[in-house]
Amino acid sequence: MQYKNIIRILGLLVGLLSVTMLPPALISLVYRDGGGLPFILAFLWCIGTGFLAWYPHRFEKTDLKAREGFLIVVLFWLVLASFSAIPLMLLETPNLSTTDAFFESFSGLTTTGATILNHIDDLPHAVLWYRQQLQWLGGMGIIVLAVAVLPMLGIGGMQLYRAETPGPVKDSKMTPRIADTAKHLWYIYLGLTIACALAYWLAGMSGFDAICHAFSTIAIGGFSTHDASMGYFNSPAINLVCVTFLLIAGVNFALHYAAVQSRSLKSYFFDPEFKVFIGIQIVLVVICFTVLLSTGTYQDADQALDQALFQSVSISTTAGFATTSFADWPTLLPMLLIFSSFIGGCAGSTGGGMKVVRVVLLYLQGLRELNKLVHPRAIFSIKLGRKVLPDRIVEAVWGFFSAYAAVFVICMLLLLAAGMDDITAFTAVAACINNLGPGLGEVAANFSSINDMSKWVLIMAMLFGRLEIFTLLVLFTPAFWRS
């Protein structure tokens, strides 16, 4: 294991992270909210620590192997999310404990959107910006940005890309060079963010709110600058903008890239995962609308459609924005939406969950097993669109599903052992491992009331969800550490 090279790379990454402390300090200066000093101190701490880690090992430039790639990705999230908690610990308003600062930082960087903060409207603008910025940076994975920059510094990126990229098929690149791939992803990501901010502004948000909510919308994060989230604006137009860009961000970014390159929308309509993703959204909206109207939750059909559309897309794409407390809806709907977050967005999107393509493959594999029972001697292949998939991919999906279920159960049992009730424990783990944010019961509004042990368990659940289980689990195998 190339430990010196790994320390060098982490030093560079922490040094890059220090730069992200400056925009909140500038925002504080503009709004004169008195919240800038912690970010300046955090900047100095991060750049100093990064330099001390990098400088002694600056000449350790050897090619990374797959093992180093996985270890760096895991350390990347652990180290950077930990350093991102520093300004939150230094703040006077809000005054956060170490556990709460780490929870908010990990929740932001993993785009989970679960928060321990109350009275968000009263926070300094610097803090509001920083939370949203964390989600934006974590949305596509800061590692992708690092892969675009660090090759110039002598760091190979292919292993990092394969370890970080979400989805079951990690061997494909959109362009031959990994740095080009990362840059194209970020051009699209940045372009969508700008378009989203402009749309919010035209729909009636202030400039500050528009940019902040564009950050968390394209990242499918769910943090807001207001306690009432999107409900604060009480605007169907803003809700529609949010839904539109959540659906765009929930689609595989490789499809966006193909559409930009070909200047055609054909790539979307020929993609089986995209069609299933849109189909799931339509079914959820129809069910929510029908139940809300039939139970009299909303008397007005337009309002019922607005709420059904917004909440179903927000929860199922794992954003977690809210216009109302969906926990107060008829019991069927909150549970349905929580379960929909297990599916999440498409592979290669900023959404959480298991990803649509994996659920499709699980369904197709189940169908194949049923057919084998009827025709035991027949040979059935699994096709995704017109492409026949090798059995190794199907086996990997089943392995992922098994690991996902095992981690979920262990986390839930730990929360129950910590004294949490069953509904809260189930939905809290679902909210964190699916990178969703809101749950039900005690965590319907926020996570401030749960104990510290539960928060650390949920931080681990966020990491498992963001790293898609295997990237983190592989570090616990003896074979990984054997030379």
Side-chain angles (χ1 to χ4, degrees), residues 192-460:
L192 288 175
T193 304
I194 294 170
C196 184
L198 286 172
Y200 275 138
W201 181 67
L202 292 172
M205 280 190 185
S206 68
F208 181 82
D209 277 343
I211 295 171
C212 286
H213 284 89
F215 282 168
S216 53
T217 300
I218 299 303
I220 308 190
F223 275 166
S224 176
T225 55
H226 302 282
D227 284 305
S229 190
M230 290 295 184
Y232 171 86
F233 303 100
N234 192 26
S235 167
I238 287 175
N239 292 349
L240 190 59
V241 169
C242 185
V243 165
T244 301
F245 280 94
L246 284 179
L247 290 174
I248 292 171
V251 174
N252 191 333
F253 271 60
L255 292 181
H256 297 324
Y257 174 77
V260 170
Q261 287 294 98
S262 64
R263 297 182 182 180
S264 169
L265 300 178
K266 288 182 180 179
S267 57
Y268 296 106
F269 301 117
F270 287 112
D271 185 70
E273 184 186 24
F274 173 78
K275 290 187 279 190
V276 173
F277 173 67
I278 296 299
I280 290 171
Q281 303 305 317
I282 293 171
V283 170
L284 287 172
V285 172
V286 169
I287 293 174
C288 289
F289 174 69
T290 304
V291 173
L292 290 175
L293 211 56
S294 62
T295 56
T297 307
Y298 299 102
Q299 300 299 328
D300 181 67
D302 289 341
Q303 188 181 10
L305 180 60
D306 178 43
Q307 296 295 331
L309 177 64
F310 184 89
Q311 295 296 155
S312 59
V313 172
S314 175
I315 302 299
S316 63
T317 57
T318 73
F321 286 120
T323 50
T324 184
S325 177
F326 78 106
D328 298 331
W329 283 1
T331 310
L332 163 67
L333 299 185
M335 292 307 296
L336 173 67
L337 293 179
I338 290 290
F339 277 113
S340 73
S341 72
F342 282 92
I343 300 174
C346 298
S349 74
T350 55
M354 291 190 294
K355 305 296 186 293
V356 173
V357 68
R358 284 198 182 98
V359 175
V360 170
L361 292 179
L362 287 172
Y363 167 76
L364 293 175
Q365 170 65 358
L367 209 59
R368 179 167 75 168
E369 292 303 316
L370 288 174
N371 289 330
K372 281 184 176 180
L373 289 175
V374 179
H375 305 286
R377 294 186 179 180
I379 298 175
F380 298 95
S381 58
I382 291 181
K383 291 184 178 180
L384 197 60
R386 297 179 180 178
K387 184 179 180 181
V388 177
L389 296 180
D391 285 341
R392 67 179 182 84
I393 291 180
V394 180
E395 291 166 4
V397 170
W398 272 108
F400 174 87
F401 179 74
S402 303
Y404 207 87
V407 170
F408 184 94
V409 169
I410 292 169
C411 289
M412 182 176 170
L413 290 175
L414 288 172
L415 293 187
L416 292 172
M420 200 176 281
D421 68 87
D422 50 359
I423 291 294
T424 302
F426 178 86
T427 57
V429 177
C432 290
I433 200 170
N434 295 331
N435 303 131
L436 165 63
L440 301 175
E442 197 179 343
V443 295
N446 58 50
F447 288 68
S448 61
S449 60
I450 64 176
N451 58 49
D452 284 358
M453 175 188 167
S454 299
K455 288 172 184 172
W456 285 109
V457 170
L458 293 175
I459 285 172
M460 285 303 299

Side-chain angles (χ1 to χ4, degrees), residues 153-175:
L153 306 174
I155 298 171
M158 189 61 219
Q159 291 81 10
L160 304 187
Y161 179 80
R162 291 181 61 184
E164 168 62 15
T165 303
V169 184
K170 301 187 179 184
D171 294 329
S172 60
K173 302 194 296 273
M174 293 180 294
T175 59

Side-chain angles (χ1 to χ4, degrees), residues 4-19 46-47 49-55 57-61 76 79-80 142 146 149-155:
K4 290 182 179 179
N5 198 9
I6 290 171
I7 292 171
R8 181 181 72 91
I9 294 169
L10 289 175
L12 285 169
L13 291 173
V14 172
L16 285 174
L17 178 72
S18 69
V19 179
C46 288
I47 199 166
T49 306
F51 179 79
L52 290 175
W54 166 79
Y55 188 76
H57 310 295
R58 62 192 181 282
F59 299 120
E60 296 288 337
K61 297 180 181 180
F76 163 84
V79 171
L80 294 201
I142 308 175
V149 175
L150 296 185
M152 295 184 295
L153 306 174
I155 298 171

